[in-house]
């Protein structure tokens, strides 16, 4: 087992505007950017930071990006899918070592300070692993999952299963995450076609992607029937879109039918080391005991303090525990 850290390259993909999702009181994209930079600052070896921007970027964020790393504008933006597919294709065209570690980051996550340090440590301890997530708590029952994923009732690493402890983190077999995750250059090269195709399948395509890389069925028969028989659920004007989505999903299934030797393991951290800054889930998702101990409002406040000490003007409401 090696303890040599893999080189880390961070691709931070950001949209210049925002959406209408309900957010925690402390949320801002500038705070998310500062949290990523704070986590990068905690690494023993500075990572490569690349900021991939879609649309006009507010100057306060752009100036921070230009100060800390390389800034790249998306050529064909306008959607999450477009920028994601372009990022994967461009990164795959780069040279590098197969063992290089790449962190794909969206622009609305909050990081604990040692999130990337724990990612690098976990990666070094598990040199054969190719995919990592720092967010999500649904765990696969490895013994019972075949073509269909069986989810353990206990969150994260709390049940039985394949768990590797590295420092203060337990790494377990995760079921799914968002499009913020870690990947080796080897896996990117081998899986780029799958990753880019699944982003076109609509709905929770990130979750479907996570199933596919693990050789699990990405879509249920119920979902596919709904795509091709949309008559009771969607208006006639949307039927063509539903048929196209169904066709893309059917075409994706062969990509997920992997031999045992080509199935990837998606390794998740317990506790979660990042949080998607959206309003709480309804119903609440199950969290491990270690994740529940994290006070994310306090993390936001401490991140704002760090940011201001480093010339990044993050302001969060005092009600969230931050600076007025």
């Amino acid at each position: 087992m090696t303890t040599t850290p893999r080189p880390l390259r961070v691709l931070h993909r950001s949209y210049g505007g925002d959406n209408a999702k309900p957010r925690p009181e402390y949320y801002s994209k500038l705070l998310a950017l500062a949290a990523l930079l704070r986590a990068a600052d905690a690494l023993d070896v500075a990572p490569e930071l690349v900021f991939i921007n879609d649309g006009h970027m507010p100057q306060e964020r752009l100036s921070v990006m230009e100060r800390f790393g390389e800034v790249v504008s998306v050529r064909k933006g306008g959607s999450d899918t477009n920028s994601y597919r372009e990022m994967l294709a461009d990164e795959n065209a780069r040279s590098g070592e197969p063992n290089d570690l790449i962190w794909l980051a969206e622009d609305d996550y909050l990081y604990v300070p040692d999130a990337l340090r724990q990612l690098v440590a976990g990666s070094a301890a598990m040199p054969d692993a190719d995919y990592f997530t720092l967010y999500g708590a649904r765990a696969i029952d490895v013994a019972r999952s075949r073509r269909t994923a069986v989810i353990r009732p206990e969150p994260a690493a709390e049940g039985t299963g394949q768990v590797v402890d590295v420092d203060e983190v337990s790494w377990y077999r995760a079921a799914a995450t968002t499009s913020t995750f870690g990947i080796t250059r080897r896996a990117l090269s081998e899986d780029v076609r799958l990753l880019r195709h699944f982003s076109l399948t609509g709905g929770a395509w990130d979750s479907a992607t996570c199933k596919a890389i693990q050789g699990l069925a990405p879509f249920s028969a119920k979902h596919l029937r709904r795509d091709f028989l949309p008559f009771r659920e969607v208006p006639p004007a949307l039927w063509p879109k539903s048929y196209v989505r169904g066709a893309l999903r059917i075409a994706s299934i062969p990509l997920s039918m992997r031999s045992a030797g080509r199935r990837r393991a998606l390794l998740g951290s317990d506790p979660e080391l990042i949080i998607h800054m959206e309003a709480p889930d309804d119903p609440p998702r199950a969290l491990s005991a270690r994740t529940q101990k994290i006070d994310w409002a306090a993390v936001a406040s401490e991140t704002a303090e760090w940011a201001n000490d480093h010339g990044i003007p993050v302001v969060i409401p005092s009600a969230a525990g931050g600076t007025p």
Side-chain angles (χ1 to χ4, degrees), residues 265-280:
L266 173 64
L267 299 180
S269 68
D270 186 6
E272 294 181 9
L273 302 174
I274 63 176
I275 190 71
H276 200 183
M277 287 191 284
E278 296 182 335

Side-chain angles (χ1 to χ4, degrees), residues 12-15 17 27-29 32-33 61 105-109:
H12 176 272
R13 188 165 52 95
S14 187
Y15 172 59
Y27 163 77
S28 76
K29 288 193 176 184
L33 176 59
R61 283 161 56 197
E106 296 170 279
D107 64 357
D108 57 352
Y109 283 77

